[in-house]
Amino acid sequence: MLTIGTLAKKTGTKVQTIRYYEQIGLLPEPGRSSGGQRRYGDAELDRLSFVRHARQLGFSLEAIRELLDLSDHPDKSCAEADAIARRQLKQVEQRIARLEALQTELKRMVHECSGGHTADCRVLEVLRDHSECLTNHEEIGG
Amino acid sequence: MLTIGTLAKKTGTKVQTIRYYEQIGLLPEPGRSSGGQRRYGDAELDRLSFVRHARQLGFSLEAIRELLDLSDHPDKSCAEADAIARRQLKQVEQRIARLEALQTELKRMVHECSGGHTADCRVLEVLRDHSECLTNHEEIGG
DNA sequence: ATACGACCTCCAGCTACTGTAGGTTCAAGA
DNA sequence: TCTTGAACCTACAGTAGCTGGAGGTCGTAT
């Protein structure tokens, strides 16, 4: 039986995060000690490891919820899990493309900056005038 | 004099977002009509365009605050603006690197999935067992 | 005069946690 | 057995950067 702190260490998760996952129903309510402290077994360790690993791969908690559900039903078709992973891959590819456009623009800004006063700083100039940009970077975020 | 709705359209910003920027002090409090509605001039249009453009390039609101301040003081050294842009570039490059690692892993997962039952789904299997991964993807997010 | 869209303020909610306050439990050492 | 101190508990607030809704007012065209 593991305490929450031990589980946290084993999975590289913060204690609060584990309680948060329980709260939103991603992890089941564990057993308790006589004094009311959470006690975990191996099943919970595996489940939390799964969650953490999926998070590291960028899956949203909602996606992870679906993946866990699939994982709990070995007879279901694999297609759904596959679709979720493909969706995630697509998102990652889109983000890479977007970030690469930003990278290009930022590099250009930085390289053109000659180091004088802000009055004629290229960085600020480009920010002031979008038409100086080569790429379309409409969507926000990144 | 522009209404907030017109300003929103011209800059591709939502009305609420403009009010939010005002609230956090990124945009100055504008003049008002006799009835209390916000009225904007060209200075505000320029400032909001600057903010939006910087957001599109992924700068945080805090970074934008600094950039605006620099932009407001033409005699200051350009070096600071340059440093902020370089910092941003570095962040973007790190994110790209991280996403590319995720991309590799996700591709592998998806390509190995043969389409049977979840019991032997490669996607789920890899998520269950981190040791199957080629890359280190410790940090969360993406 | 009235209708209707655009505006106003205030507040709640989103993702995925993280941190804090104030109190309790557990396990080891004296 | 008692004490100490770390680890635990609940509950709630805060983070970034918005977004949406409720309930009410303003502006302008007809």
Side-chain angles (χ1 to χ4, degrees):
Chain A
M1 284 296 154
L2 308 170
T3 64
I4 196 170
T6 314
L7 185 67
K9 254 174 224 151
K10 285 201 181 216
T11 58
T13 315
K14 301 221 166 178
V15 165
Q16 291 105 308
T17 304
I18 297 176
R19 288 198 279 248
Y20 170 71
Y21 287 163
E22 179 187 328
Q23 192 190 308
I24 63 168
L26 211 59
L27 298 181
E29 288 186 25
R32 300 272 181 155
S33 72
S34 57
Q37 298 192 353
R38 288 170 182 80
R39 291 294 181 266
Y40 297 93
D42 282 348
E44 282 100 333
L45 175 61
D46 287 348
R47 200 173 172 90
L48 180 54
S49 302
F50 184 105
V51 170
R52 282 276 103 184
H53 193 190
R55 284 294 297 135
Q56 284 168 2
L57 286 166
F59 288 93
S60 72
L61 293 183
E62 255 327 287
I64 293 171
R65 212 185 281 277
E66 293 178 60
L67 289 167
L68 279 170
D69 184 61
L70 292 167
S71 184
D72 288 345
H73 297 91
D75 293 335
K76 280 197 183 175
S77 158
C78 177
E80 229 173 301
D82 195 43
I84 296 171
R86 275 177 205 279
R87 214 198 300 149
Q88 176 63 16
L89 175 57
K90 205 168 165 186
Q91 250 184 48
V92 166
E93 279 167 349
Q94 281 171 356
R95 279 192 215 159
I96 289 174
R98 182 162 153 58
L99 285 172
E100 278 173 349
L102 298 193
Q103 187 186 24
T104 304
E105 216 57 66
L106 286 167
K107 267 187 184 161
R108 217 164 55 89
M109 276 169 69
V110 162
H111 288 158
E112 284 179 0
C113 180
S114 55
H117 283 222
T118 60
D120 28 46
C121 178
R122 276 298 286 168
V123 170
L124 296 173
E125 223 167 283
V126 172
L127 287 175
R128 273 183 215 121
D129 188 358
H130 191 158
S131 69
E132 302 215 29
C133 284
L134 296 175
T135 56
N136 254 23
H137 39 78
E138 297 301 315
E139 230 174 286
I140 273 184
Chain B
M1 283 295 155
L2 309 170
T3 64
I4 196 169
T6 313
L7 185 66
K9 253 173 227 153
K10 285 201 181 216
T11 57
T13 316
K14 302 219 166 179
V15 165
Q16 292 105 307
T17 305
I18 297 176
R19 287 197 281 248
Y20 170 71
Y21 286 163
E22 180 187 327
Q23 193 190 306
I24 62 167
L26 210 59
L27 298 180
E29 287 186 25
R32 299 274 180 152
S33 72
S34 56
Q37 298 192 354
R38 289 169 180 80
R39 291 294 181 266
Y40 296 93
D42 282 349
E44 281 100 334
L45 175 60
D46 287 349
R47 200 172 173 92
L48 179 55
S49 303
F50 184 104
V51 170
R52 281 277 105 182
H53 193 192
R55 284 296 294 136
Q56 285 169 1
L57 286 165
F59 288 94
S60 72
L61 294 181
E62 255 326 289
I64 293 172
R65 213 186 279 277
E66 293 177 61
L67 289 167
L68 280 170
D69 184 62
L70 292 167
S71 184
D72 288 344
H73 297 92
D75 293 335
K76 279 198 184 173
S77 159
C78 177
E80 229 173 301
D82 195 43
I84 296 170
R86 274 177 207 278
R87 215 197 299 148
Q88 176 62 16
L89 175 58
K90 206 169 165 185
Q91 250 183 48
V92 166
E93 279 166 348
Q94 281 170 357
R95 277 191 218 161
I96 290 174
R98 182 160 154 57
L99 285 171
E100 278 173 348
L102 297 194
Q103 189 185 23
T104 304
E105 217 57 67
L106 286 166
K107 268 188 184 162
R108 217 164 55 89
M109 277 169 70
V110 162
H111 288 158
E112 284 179 3
C113 180
S114 54
H117 283 220
T118 59
D120 28 47
C121 179
R122 276 299 287 168
V123 170
L124 296 173
E125 223 167 283
V126 172
L127 287 175
R128 273 183 214 122
D129 188 359
H130 191 158
S131 69
E132 301 214 30
C133 284
L134 296 175
T135 55
N136 254 24
H137 39 78
E138 296 304 313
E139 232 175 284
I140 273 187

